[in-house]
Structure formats: structure tokens, C-alpha cells
Amino acid sequence: MALNKAQALFQRRLSRVVLFPILLLAGLSGVFVWQISRLLDAMQWVEHTDQVITRATQVQKLLLDIETGGRGYLLTGEQLFLGPYEKGMNQIDQAFSDLEALVVDNSEQQQRVVQLRQNQARWKAEFSQILSKQLADRATLRAFLTARKRQMDRMRQDISNFISTEEQLRTARSQSVQTLTRWVIGTTISSALLLGSILAVLLRSQLLKMTQSYREALETAQAQNLTAQQSNERL
């Protein structure tokens, strides 16, 4: 009977030893998943900022091609210069649309894109009118090109400011990723050490208790056997 009680007690304590680490690991796993989710989200924002900068740089290049091609054609009359101009005009609207969609989460940057797009449309309308006329008056042509250059310079400055803002955002988000990465590594190591210490203490305590229970059960069984032997001898 005593041995049966000892076995039952052993099973209960063994169940505790097994169940407690499982619950603890489940809790720690939830924390790790949450931390990794935050880290991945921060990394996605860094990648998103890279996409915005890439698209803005493309817009910047298209504006340069449009201005260079159109100015070259007006100055020389050569159709060769219209290639970059027409190619840029065919792509600029889609580039603006893509850029505006990428910064939909940032109202200030989105407003910059909208304003830049309006300025480019105004530049295009004014430039297209002269492009079909082929001005012969060099003074008028020079004045026109100077005015359009000033407009384009302002647009280039606007897109440069836009890119600078995105680069600052990227720096901040990269620092956030680095901080989160260090936090995840630190908490992982600390949690592993804490879990190992808890398990070591728990297992030692339970093993000592089970050893004591078996020792008491064994002593009880030996006493019962001794009593039975003595009874047999008296009989």
C-alpha cells in the first residue's frame, strides 16, 4: 500500500515537472513571436522607404531627361533630342502615380508629390506650346528656356527635399531595427538562462522530494516485513 502511494505521488510530481516547463516555454514562445513580428514590421518599413527613394530618384531622372531633350531640340532643331523628351513624358505620369501610392501613409510627403506633379504639368503645358512653334528669335527662345529652367530647378529642389526626408525616415527606421534586434537577442539569452535556472531548481527540488518519499515508503515496507516475520516466528 505504501509503495502504491509513493508511486502515485511520484507520478503527480513528475507531471508537475513536465507540465511547468511546457507552460513556461509556451509563454516565452508567445513573447518571442511578438518581438519577431515587431522586428519584421520595422524591417518592412525600411524596405518600403528604399522603394520610395528609388521611385523618387527615377522621377528626378525623368525630369532631367525631359528638360535636357526638350531644350536640345529647341536649340538645334534635331529630332534626335526629342527621344529622351518623349520617353520621359510617356513615363512621368506613371512614375508620379507610383510615388504617390507609396507615400499614402505620409500625408506631408504625399502633398509634396501632388504639388510636384502639378508643377510638372504646368511646365509641360508651357513647353509644349513653344515646342511646336520652333522660335526663330534667339532672344525670345533664350528667355523662354531660362524661365523653364527656373521652374525645373524648383522641381528638382522639391524632389531633392522629398528624398532627403525619406532618407531621414530610413535612418530612423534602421536605428529602430537595430534596437529591436539587440532587444530580441538580449531577451532571448536572458530568458534561456532564466528558464534553465528555474528548471534546474525545480527538478532538484522535485527529485529530492521523490527520493524522500521512496525512502519513507521503503522504510515502511521493511518495517512491515519485519513485523510479519516476527509474527510468523511467534506462530
Side-chain angles (χ1 to χ4, degrees), residues 55-68:
R55 185 61 66 178
T57 303
Q58 181 187 13
V59 170
Q60 193 177 44
K61 181 180 181 302
L62 289 174
L63 291 175
L64 178 62
D65 291 344
I66 289 170
E67 181 191 24
T68 302

Side-chain angles (χ1 to χ4, degrees), residues 14-68:
L14 183 61
S15 298
R16 294 173 188 172
V17 172
V18 174
L19 183 60
F20 182 76
I22 292 176
L23 295 177
L24 186 58
L25 284 173
L28 290 176
S29 297
V31 174
F32 292 154
V33 169
W34 174 69
Q35 290 179 335
I36 292 174
S37 177
R38 289 183 59 196
L39 180 59
L40 291 176
D41 185 64
M43 293 174 66
Q44 288 176 354
W45 277 112
V46 172
E47 182 180 357
H48 172 79
T49 308
D50 288 337
Q51 293 176 355
V52 174
I53 292 174
T54 299
R55 185 61 66 178
T57 303
Q58 181 187 13
V59 170
Q60 193 177 44
K61 181 180 181 302
L62 289 174
L63 291 175
L64 178 62
D65 291 344
I66 289 170
E67 181 191 24
T68 302

Side-chain angles (χ1 to χ4, degrees), residues 8 10 26 36 41 52 63 98 106 112 129-130 139 150 170 176 180 185-187 192 204 210 217:
F10 174 78
I36 292 174
D41 185 64
V52 174
L63 291 175
D98 294 342
N106 190 326
R112 285 180 174 179
Q129 293 177 357
I130 302 300
R150 289 172 181 171
R170 189 188 188 284
S176 177
L180 284 173
I185 294 174
T187 54
R204 182 177 182 277
M210 286 186 289

Side-chain angles (χ1 to χ4, degrees), residues 146-205:
T146 300
R148 300 294 76 74
K149 183 180 185 302
R150 289 172 181 171
Q151 286 180 307
M152 188 61 73
D153 287 343
R154 287 194 293 270
M155 283 189 282
R156 277 195 290 266
Q157 184 60 48
D158 290 340
I159 196 67
S160 295
N161 294 337
F162 178 92
I163 294 175
S164 177
T165 299
E166 289 297 323
E167 288 175 343
Q168 293 174 7
L169 285 174
R170 189 188 188 284
T171 299
R173 289 166 178 172
S174 297
Q175 292 175 350
S176 177
V177 169
Q178 294 175 1
T179 301
L180 284 173
T181 301
R182 289 193 294 267
W183 173 257
V184 170
I185 294 174
T187 54
T188 300
I189 295 175
S190 300
S191 299
L193 293 175
L194 178 61
L195 178 61
S197 301
I198 292 175
L199 290 179
V201 173
L202 178 64
L203 288 174
R204 182 177 182 277
S205 175

Side-chain angles (χ1 to χ4, degrees), residues 83-140:
Y85 174 85
E86 293 175 345
K87 182 179 179 181
M89 283 298 184
N90 291 333
Q91 297 179 0
I92 192 68
D93 286 339
Q94 184 61 48
F96 274 127
S97 297
D98 294 342
L99 185 59
E100 188 175 351
L102 285 172
V103 295
V104 68
D105 59 292
N106 190 326
S107 58
E108 182 179 354
Q109 289 290 78
Q110 190 175 42
Q111 183 58 38
R112 285 180 174 179
V113 176
V114 171
Q115 185 63 47
L116 183 62
R117 192 171 194 172
Q118 292 173 353
N119 292 338
Q120 195 278 329
R122 188 179 304 111
W123 185 95
K124 175 184 177 181
E126 294 173 357
F127 200 91
S128 298
Q129 293 177 357
I130 302 300
L131 195 65
S132 59
K133 294 180 180 180
Q134 280 292 304
L135 293 177
D137 185 355
R138 306 302 294 179
T140 303

